[in-house]
């Protein structure tokens, strides 16, 4: 048996590794400093393994094997940290996976303004300075029925801005049943405190009546706030004051109504067999003065906070210096405009905006896609796993439609020679990483959230994992 000393002596010098042709080829696309750092680290790791009596030290000392390790490490060091992944979890708006996938038109719009100059703040008719919000304001009005609108960084920013502009130093009345917390620590009471407005809670967790609001409104009340309970439901012995009632009270008392809708919905989901969620247009039609919502939840666009409402209030909001701090960049505006344009034709919106398409996709289509994936897996790894199609549910996610279980077909995989956890981990570590759902001893792939070409990548990955054992 080779002694530790002789194993250490067999390790090639860094210089020898760097002279290897495969390593030299790397230099065309990778910085020299990274390559030599990778080589040093690999040799150091081997040295440590040998000193600790690692049993595989011997075979790994072969130069070719070491070059393999260096190449792999160089790729790991130089690939982007933020990169695409394949979402086979069936959660359409997965906040950890970047929420909404943009429509092709939106991606193209970003691409056009990113690598070129644009008329971001230039009025091409007059040649004079314009505003960045002008590109979307008319579309927002047309699609929501509101007089005016703008977008900021996200809905959290939108709520902060509305409260700060319209209620700083004054009181905002909200039901105790609507003091929501959204993932990523957005909490209504905290945002309220940051805005400088004072929260006045009315009613109870399960029941709030119109008289609760009536009894509370006073001279100092700047807003009546309604928050959509996007990510939870209060059920049982409950009552809530409707938007219509709140608007009526607001008119009587001369206090504007502000609604935080959460998910920005512009279509009637009820038409597609999914629970009806209040749309922005419905709130505006009911007479709500200002509505805010997210751009990257059910709206299916870029991360943004959409604010629409009366010209009078929106113009106050635009003048708030905080708006400048929360302003969106040209990429967001480009994607937002393109997405809004798709909504001008609802049929187009539902087929071209991935979020809407995924939520409304017919079950028969999901069944076909599941069969196709299962077939591909049968071809590649039939003898190594039990592959089945089972019925199950997908979820909307992103703190929207919390009770909605969307029926789907799942491809279930039970590997025969490794645990399902090991398989899941390996899939997550290939390029592009694949995220699937573990349920008991099975790995589940939901075609609902898979995009064109994902099936072949998943099949290829699984074949590779099985080959390598
Ligand atoms: C999601 C949500 C927010 C926060 O929106 P972001 O765009 O994530 O900042 C605020 N309020 C409600 C009701 C929400 O559902």
């Amino acid at each position: 048996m080779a002694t530790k000393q002789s194993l250490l002596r067999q390790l090639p010098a860094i210089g020898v590794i760097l002279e290897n042709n495969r390593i030299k080829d790397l230099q065309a696309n990778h910085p020299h400093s990274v390559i030599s750092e990778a080589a040093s680290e690999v040799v150091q790791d081997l040295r440590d393994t040998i000193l600790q009596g690692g049993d595989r030290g011997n075979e790994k000392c072969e130069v070719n094997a070491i070059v393999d390790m260096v190449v792999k490490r160089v790729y790991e060091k130089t690939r982007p940290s933020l990169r695409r992944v394949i979402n086979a979890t069936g959660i359409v708006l997965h906040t950890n996976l970047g929420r909404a996938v943009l429509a092709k038109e939106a991606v193209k719009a970003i691409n056009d303004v990113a690598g070129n100059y644009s008329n971001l703040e230039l009025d091409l008719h007059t040649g004079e300075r314009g505003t960045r919000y002008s590109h979307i304001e008319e579309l927002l009005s047309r699609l929501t029925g509101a007089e005016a609108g703008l977008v900021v960084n996200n809905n959290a920013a939108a709520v902060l801005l509305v409260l700060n502009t319209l209620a700083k130093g004054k009181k905002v009345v909200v039901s105790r049943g609507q003091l929501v917390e959204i993932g990523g620590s957005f909490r209504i009471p905290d945002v309220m405190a940051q805005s400088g407005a004072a929260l006045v809670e009315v009613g109870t967790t399960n029941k709030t009546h119109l008289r609760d609001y009536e009894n509370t409104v006073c001279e100092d009340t700047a807003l009546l706030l309604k928050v959509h309970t996007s990510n939870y439901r209060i059920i049982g012995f409950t009552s809530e004051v409707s938007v219509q009632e709140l608007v009526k009270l607001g008119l009587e008392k001369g206090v504007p109504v502000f609604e935080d809708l959460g998910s920005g919905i512009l279509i009637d989901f009820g038409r597609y067999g999914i629970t009806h969620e209040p749309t922005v247009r419905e709130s505006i039609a009911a007479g709500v003065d200002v509505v805010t919502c997210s751009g990257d939840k059910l709206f299916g666009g870029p991360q943004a906070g959409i604010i629409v409402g009366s010209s009078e209030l929106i113009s106050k909001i635009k003048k708030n210096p905080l708006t400048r701090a929360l302003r969106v960049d040209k990429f967001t505006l480009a994607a937002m405009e393109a997405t809004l344009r798709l909504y001008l034709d609802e049929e187009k919106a539902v087929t071209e905006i991935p979020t809407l398409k995924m939520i409304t996709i017919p079950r028969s289509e999901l069944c076909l896609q599941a069969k196709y994936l299962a077939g591909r897996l049968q071809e590649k790894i039939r003898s190594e796993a039990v592959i089945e199609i089972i019925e199950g549910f997908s979820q909307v996610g992103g703190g929207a439609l919390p009770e909605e279980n969307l029926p789907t077909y799942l491809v279930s995989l039970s590997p025969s020679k490794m645990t399902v956890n090991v398989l899941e981990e390996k899939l997550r570590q290939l390029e592009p990483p694949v995220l699937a759902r573990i349920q008991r001893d099975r790995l589940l792939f939901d075609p609902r959230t898979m995009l064109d070409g994902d099936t072949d990548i998943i099949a290829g990955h699984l074949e590779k994992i099985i080959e390598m054992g």
Side-chain angles (χ1 to χ4, degrees), residues 30-222:
H30 303 279
H32 180 76
S33 58
V34 174
I35 299 173
S36 60
E37 187 181 85
S40 310
E41 285 173 10
V42 166
V43 171
Q44 188 59 47
D45 285 357
L46 286 169
R47 190 169 283 143
D48 293 345
T49 315
I50 293 167
L51 288 173
Q52 284 156 20
D55 51 353
R56 290 184 52 153
N58 202 359
E59 59 194 79
K60 279 193 181 159
C61 289
E62 208 252 313
V63 174
N64 245 331
I66 292 176
V67 167
D68 282 346
M69 287 186 260
V70 174
V71 170
K72 189 166 170 234
R73 193 166 297 214
V74 168
Y75 279 115
E76 280 168 9
K77 280 175 181 285
T78 53
R79 75 180 171 206
S81 167
L82 176 59
R83 53 199 201 273
R84 82 173 267 214
V85 304
I86 289 176
N87 176 10
T89 65
I91 301 169
V92 177
L93 296 168
H94 198 307
T95 299
N96 302 149
L97 305 185
R99 285 198 188 157
V101 171
L102 293 183
K104 296 227 159 51
E105 284 78 353
V107 174
K108 183 178 174 300
I110 292 176
N111 202 39
D112 284 349
V113 300
N116 295 291
Y117 291 105
S118 64
N119 61 339
L120 181 64
E121 291 190 347
L122 182 78
D123 182 331
L124 289 171
H125 293 295
T126 61
E128 280 167 20
R129 193 189 167 138
T131 84
R132 64 181 59 215
Y133 303 112
S134 67
H135 304 289
I136 46 134
E137 188 157 20
E138 206 186 305
L139 282 165
L140 280 177
S141 295
R142 196 187 302 194
L143 291 165
T144 64
E147 287 171 2
L150 75 158
V151 291
V152 291
N153 255 322
N154 50 34
N155 189 28
V159 174
L160 176 71
L161 182 59
V162 171
L163 293 174
N164 179 267
T165 311
L166 305 179
K168 188 177 173 192
K170 299 220 173 115
K171 292 179 176 154
V172 178
V173 183
V174 63
S175 158
R176 289 197 168 88
Q178 298 168 4
L179 296 174
V180 310
E181 170 172 326
I182 308 288
S185 57
F186 171 92
R187 298 173 126 195
I188 288 289
D190 297 349
V191 175
M192 191 79 74
Q194 285 299 320
S195 75
L199 172 68
V200 182
E201 300 172 22
V202 295
T204 61
T205 306
N206 57 325
K207 281 201 173 217
T208 303
H209 306 284
L210 188 61
R211 61 174 183 275
D212 294 323
Y213 290 93
E214 270 166 352
N215 295 340
T216 312
V217 174
C218 64
E219 289 231 313
D220 271 354
T221 309

Side-chain angles (χ1 to χ4, degrees), residues 99 154-157 159 180 182 186 227-228 230 260-263 294-297 304 398-399:
R99 285 198 188 157
N154 50 34
N155 189 28
V159 174
V180 310
I182 308 288
F186 171 92
V227 184
H228 185 53
S230 320
D260 172 14
L261 265 182
S263 261
S294 277
D296 56 353
K297 291 186 183 168

Side-chain angles (χ1 to χ4, degrees), residues 8 26 57 90 130 143 169 182 235 265 271 280-281 288 305 307-308 311:
L8 286 176
L26 283 178
L143 291 165
I182 308 288
I235 55 165
I265 300 179
R271 282 187 54 190
V280 181
R281 182 176 279 281
V288 174
I307 309 174
V308 292
S311 306

